[in-house]
Amino acid sequence: MAANHCFRRLASALSHGPQPPPTPPASLLQRVALSSSAPSTGPPPPEAVRKGEGEEAAEAKGADADAEAGKEEHEDDGGVHVNKATGEIGGPRGPEPTRYGDWERGGRCSDF
Amino acid sequence: MANLTNGFVSLHCAGAMHVDKGHMQASGLPFLSFRRCSQLDISRLGSVPRFMGAKSATVSLHYVRHRISAIRASTLSCLQDDTTKFFDFVVIGSGVAGLRYALEVSKHGSVAIITKAEPYESNTNYAQGGVSAVLCPSDSVESHMEDTIVAGAYLCDEETVRVVCTEGPERVKELIAMGASFDHGEDGRLHLAREGGHSHNRIVHSADMTGREIERALLQAVDNDDNISLFGHHFAIDLLTCQKNGEIYCYGVDSIDIETQKVVRFISKVTLLASGGVGHIYPTTTNPLVATGDGIAMSHRAQAVISNMEFVQFHPTALSDEGLPIKPKTRRENAFLITEAVRGDGGILYNQSMERFMPMYDDRAELAPRDVVARSIDDQLKKRRENYVLLDISHKPREKVLAHFPNIAAECLRYGLDITRQPIPVVPAAHYMCGGVRAGLQGETNVKGLYVAGEVACTGLHGANRLASNSLLEALVFARRAVQPSIDHMLDADGDASLAARWARPTLPWSSLGDGALADIVERTRQSRTELQSVMWEYVGIVRSTGRLKQAEWKIGDLESEWEEFLFRRGWKPTMVGIEACEMRNLFCCAKLVVKSALARRESRGLHFTEDFPYLEESRRKPTVIFPAAVQELTWSSKPLQRQLQCK
């Protein structure tokens, strides 16, 4: 029990866990800031991914998108790669590199 | 709000400063005034207002004067021997900030860019993600601002955020005009990705090498610019400063020409510091080897104000070489980061006893926000005294794993690890320094003639945590904003060529020390660096505590004295310089700044988490500021090699 509490202490300060008795505006600030210290950076479950507003053809996510991308990627006449899943020309192949919040290629992350 | 300008204008800081007694060190290390310092208004210190009136009346005279001085600068640099060079502008660092700035100011005078390795070697080059900017009609500056401020845990300077988010799109367009080529959609418009923390698509990128593409385009433009001289393999040692009428002025920088092993003095009216990050105070970092905090340390020694050094951004899961079956022969220079996507696709984190630990820290387990994951991993490592944890994706179908993560699979296979069968050893890696040299809205510092841009600067944009892809943006915006004030300062500065000879010249050790002594020093320095990194990781990691921070302070202090003593006993003189020694003293300086800042923040916010104060405190929502020391420094690392002059 004690150990559990000890572990939870780390998380409670950071997530939506129990907060210390606060005044309302401050607590709102704290809660939002704490849980938003890395907003949306955790890999969202696929259904929670929101589409961009018209900029991208589709949000690629997980295995499904990968299968699509694999089937539908093609080369233009000029040899420039067009990614059907993302609508991007000359961009990275395969699923959208930022689908889980960070920028990744083949598993290696370069920005987050 | 305390009026802090007095603290800058007067060098007798002790009277104006409020000592936080808990952190005043007997050894005379810089003290910290935290509670009294709200937002600093550095813009009030800028030189522009003072000279505004004079400038408008005599603008043509100024123009003629500066053209003559520019010509004289180039002539002088030819006439001088190679050891002193005169330029109107000196830029330290060749990442996006330095290059962008140089390309603008070169229209107004001669520019020298000095960079310690190859020009392309910088954090910019490794920033493969993208640049964030509001480029979509349905996006808004307000939205970008809000995302930035939320990510920064409300510690951002709102005006800075507004300026950066507003000016960002224009800066990106200029890059395109300069030849940087970014990806487009089939409709011909820029393809904008969306990274974590952004509520809109706004990441402009170039395939997966945005930083490299920007660097390439800028270097090409620099190459084509006759007014810019690029000095590769020149290591900056210390800024050259002078005290005049109670203010400090920067007149250039001393450097080591690594190839000829000579000290080269650059005299300039304006200096832009764009020297990047400080990842190598930690053992595992994504930063290239050049990121040793040279700029932050030089500025601190030159009495510039430093801010927010406690906010070090770590990535939770970098490949740990120590956990690989076959150890790499040479130490990996920059970390291989394992993407969120591995966890998103079902990867599980275990400690080395194969206990799944994330559920103990957060209900979302492996899908908790990155910061929570980083802290949890750090906590496990410290409690169990281990050096890596395990990220296991081997329970997923082999073909899917290889299809999604070919880079990880290939890298691990090189060292005998099959990720479809075995867990991946991972450890957090230091990635980005949100703090740095305190800058105003024009990139100005409290040292006249010294401007900063890029990762070395603390502009107030990132607050307590950097939003993805905002770093390249910050560099672009501030490099541009520093241009006009620099020009104004340059036009007004009185170029006193005789100053150049008044600072003592650093010396190289070759003639005085034998090969044996030098080799010992280099070896000992390498050991000290490893020990410092170890102390920083152990005691100033992601989960901190007052007790461990104080231990870090003592250990680093001891390490530093022992190292300096070793050097001096081998015959090293205080005016001697060498790459290894200079980098080491910069690392010590920066490490101490991080520890001091971390000790001063008695709350947890953004990237700074401390067990003793695990919650946010609204009353502490202020930047951490380190002022220059009012007392004589005792360590070699804390003093500039050349004493500050007294002018006029």
Side-chain angles (χ1 to χ4, degrees):
Chain A
M1 274 303 176
N4 214 23
H5 173 73
C6 172
F7 289 134
R8 290 240 174 239
R9 184 168 59 88
L10 199 64
S12 71
L14 309 168
S15 66
H16 49 272
Q19 299 293 313
T23 60
S27 77
L28 189 61
L29 195 72
Q30 283 187 28
R31 206 170 298 129
V32 168
L34 285 173
S35 64
S36 301
S37 64
S40 317
T41 51
E47 61 272 11
V49 171
R50 297 187 292 279
K51 291 197 186 306
E53 292 177 27
E55 269 305 308
E56 292 180 342
E59 284 273 8
K61 41 186 186 285
D64 297 333
D66 206 40
E68 275 177 35
K71 280 186 223 144
E72 299 184 38
E73 284 177 17
H74 67 272
E75 300 287 317
D76 254 355
D77 294 352
V80 178
H81 172 254
V82 181
N83 189 317
K84 268 300 180 192
T86 62
E88 189 177 351
I89 298 173
R93 291 161 196 263
E96 181 62 36
T98 56
R99 67 196 184 286
Y100 282 115
D102 64 1
W103 188 280
E104 69 87 27
R105 294 286 292 132
R108 183 168 193 178
C109 163
S110 52
D111 190 28
F112 55 96
Chain B
M1 190 194 291
N3 181 350
L4 296 155
T5 54
N6 293 334
F8 301 138
V9 171
S10 156
L11 283 183
H12 305 295
C13 301
M17 292 301 106
H18 300 276
V19 176
D20 185 347
K21 291 193 172 53
H23 305 293
M24 182 66 171
Q25 296 300 310
S27 61
L29 291 167
F31 57 85
L32 202 51
S33 176
F34 175 52
R35 279 180 204 268
R36 305 304 183 102
C37 311
S38 321
Q39 301 291 14
L40 299 179
D41 186 7
I42 303 243
S43 60
R44 284 189 278 150
L45 305 176
S47 60
V48 176
R50 269 169 65 194
F51 302 124
M52 205 67 99
K55 189 168 84 91
S56 55
T58 55
V59 89
S60 55
L61 254 180
H62 276 135
Y63 179 76
V64 170
R65 220 183 344 138
H66 105 258
R67 286 313 307 165
I68 291 173
S69 82
I71 296 164
R72 193 192 310 143
S74 349
T75 317
L76 265 176
S77 68
C78 299
L79 293 178
Q80 286 286 328
D81 64 50
D82 282 341
T83 57
T84 304
K85 297 182 193 293
F86 294 82
F87 288 88
D88 293 312
F89 305 92
V90 158
V91 175
I92 302 171
S94 58
V96 61
L99 298 181
R100 185 69 190 84
Y101 172 89
L103 287 165
E104 288 298 324
V105 295
S106 68
K107 301 167 191 165
H108 299 268
S110 58
V111 186
I113 302 176
I114 73 169
T115 187
K116 72 196 247 193
E118 289 298 314
Y120 58 76
E121 193 65 20
S122 62
N123 276 358
T124 296
N125 209 39
Y126 293 83
Q128 289 167 37
V131 188
S132 55
V134 175
L135 289 160
C136 174
S138 52
D139 194 1
S140 69
V141 167
E142 282 68 33
S143 168
H144 191 183
M145 282 181 64
E146 193 185 326
D147 292 343
T148 300
I149 291 170
V150 164
Y154 297 88
L155 197 66
C156 311
D157 179 85
E158 193 172 322
E159 195 49 39
T160 304
V161 176
R162 181 184 312 281
V163 157
V164 172
C165 295
T166 305
E167 298 182 1
E170 208 43 54
R171 301 287 85 81
V172 169
K173 289 174 189 161
E174 280 165 4
L175 271 186
I176 295 169
M178 279 179 180
S181 120
F182 296 121
D183 296 342
H184 286 74
E186 281 172 307
D187 55 0
R189 291 156 79 187
L190 278 172
H191 184 267
L192 302 173
R194 187 157 127 198
E195 263 184 295
H198 290 273
S199 46
H200 207 100
N201 286 56
R202 58 174 76 104
I203 313 297
V204 172
H205 55 275
S206 171
D208 63 343
M209 24 165 267
T210 307
R212 211 181 312 164
E213 171 59 15
I214 294 175
E215 185 75 11
R216 179 207 63 77
L218 293 176
L219 275 174
Q220 184 152 57
V222 161
D223 213 30
N224 296 335
D225 190 324
D226 288 334
N227 240 4
I228 303 179
S229 309
L230 187 48
F231 296 88
H233 300 282
H234 277 63
F235 178 94
I237 304 166
D238 263 313
L239 299 169
L240 301 168
T241 59
C242 177
Q243 205 193 118
K244 207 169 25 169
N245 304 325
E247 309 228 38
I248 310 173
Y249 287 77
C250 176
Y251 285 107
V253 61
D254 273 344
S255 70
I256 304 172
D257 178 344
I258 298 170
E259 280 161 0
T260 62
Q261 285 294 310
K262 282 208 179 95
V263 169
V264 179
R265 173 161 288 177
F266 289 86
I267 299 291
S268 64
K269 295 175 189 153
V270 176
T271 304
L272 178 90
L273 195 53
S275 48
V278 63
H280 284 273
I281 53 174
Y282 289 99
T284 310
T285 175
T286 58
N287 293 183
L289 284 170
V290 295
T292 51
D294 303 336
I296 297 172
M298 288 196 297
S299 300
H300 180 61
R301 291 193 291 261
Q303 310 210 299
V305 177
I306 308 293
S307 185
N308 285 354
M309 291 289 287
E310 67 272 40
F311 300 111
V312 182
Q313 191 175 47
F314 285 82
H315 189 278
T317 51
L319 187 61
S320 164
D321 288 342
E322 207 178 305
L324 293 168
I326 304 170
K327 306 286 179 287
K329 288 197 185 66
T330 51
R331 195 159 152 195
R332 190 184 294 275
E333 281 181 14
N334 40 32
F336 186 111
L337 297 184
I338 310 275
T339 174
E340 312 261 357
V342 171
R343 285 178 279 124
D345 278 8
I348 308 287
L349 282 164
Y350 297 100
N351 60 31
Q352 288 185 37
S353 302
M354 289 311 286
E355 293 163 339
R356 186 181 180 187
F357 57 84
M358 278 310 302
M360 296 191 290
Y361 293 94
D362 195 289
D363 292 334
R364 295 164 287 190
E366 281 76 10
L367 300 188
R370 182 190 309 121
D371 293 353
V372 176
V373 174
R375 284 174 197 138
S376 307
I377 295 177
D378 190 61
D379 194 58
Q380 281 287 297
L381 293 176
K382 300 300 146 63
K383 289 201 159 68
R384 295 171 56 89
R385 311 194 78 82
E386 284 167 354
N387 294 328
Y388 59 89
V389 294
L390 300 164
L391 178 57
D392 195 5
I393 192 86
S394 63
H395 51 286
K396 290 291 171 183
R398 186 185 153 82
E399 315 72 46
K400 287 267 149 53
V401 171
L402 293 177
H404 287 182
F405 310 120
N407 280 346
I408 306 178
E411 183 67 14
C412 289
L413 208 55
R414 285 174 67 192
Y415 302 104
L417 191 115
D418 181 352
I419 67 171
T420 64
R421 290 177 200 278
Q422 300 157 276
I424 309 163
V426 293
V427 66
H431 181 70
Y432 186 85
M433 167 55 78
C434 295
V437 183
R438 183 78 184 183
L441 284 173
Q442 315 294 329
E444 76 276 25
T445 66
N446 59 302
V447 175
K448 301 264 175 280
L450 179 68
Y451 297 82
V452 286
E455 194 176 349
V456 71
C458 180
T459 63
L461 176 72
H462 304 309
N465 195 351
R466 177 184 68 89
L467 178 63
S469 296
N470 265 5
S471 53
L472 286 174
L473 177 67
E474 182 194 37
L476 285 171
V477 169
F478 273 84
R480 188 65 187 78
R481 285 181 72 85
V483 167
Q484 193 55 52
S486 297
I487 294 165
D488 294 341
H489 184 91
M490 191 270 296
L491 292 175
D492 258 320
D494 36 19
D496 181 3
S498 72
L499 261 184
R502 288 180 55 194
W503 289 282
R505 286 191 83 92
T507 55
L508 284 146
W510 306 116
S511 46
S512 328
L513 298 183
D515 285 347
L518 268 175
D520 285 347
I521 284 171
V522 169
E523 176 55 31
R524 176 59 193 260
T525 303
R526 193 150 40 83
Q527 281 170 20
S528 294
R529 182 191 284 220
T530 306
E531 284 177 55
L532 174 67
Q533 291 169 342
S534 187
V535 168
M536 286 300 288
W537 177 236
E538 189 60 41
Y539 297 95
V540 198
I542 304 172
V543 176
R544 298 164 176 172
S545 73
T546 305
R548 283 203 297 278
L549 290 172
K550 285 212 167 293
Q551 280 198 280
E553 208 168 36
W554 300 323
K555 283 180 187 287
I556 293 171
D558 285 346
L559 254 179
E560 187 185 20
S561 335
E562 284 162 17
W563 173 71
E564 289 187 3
E565 202 187 343
F566 184 92
L567 257 58
F568 296 129
R569 261 195 281 120
R570 282 289 191 287
W572 192 270
K573 299 283 179 291
T575 53
M576 276 181 186
V577 291
I579 308 302
E580 295 85 0
C582 288
E583 281 189 340
M584 191 70 243
R585 75 193 204 112
N586 292 339
L587 290 168
F588 273 125
C589 184
C590 291
K592 289 187 295 186
L593 290 169
V594 172
V595 174
K596 279 205 137 17
S597 307
L599 275 167
R601 185 167 294 276
R602 294 185 184 137
E603 62 154 359
S604 288
R605 183 178 297 270
L607 294 167
H608 174 71
F609 180 86
T610 171
E611 290 170 324
D612 292 283
F613 306 97
Y615 302 109
L616 286 177
E617 285 283 328
E618 175 58 20
S619 62
R620 295 178 191 273
R621 189 166 60 88
K622 299 166 195 174
T624 307
V625 184
I626 299 185
F627 290 95
V631 296
Q632 185 71 19
E633 286 305 309
L634 298 181
T635 67
W636 183 58
S637 307
S638 317
K639 284 192 277 223
L641 254 80
Q642 320 82 336
R643 278 187 69 148
Q644 188 174 84
L645 301 181
Q646 298 284 331
C647 298
K648 297 211 170 78

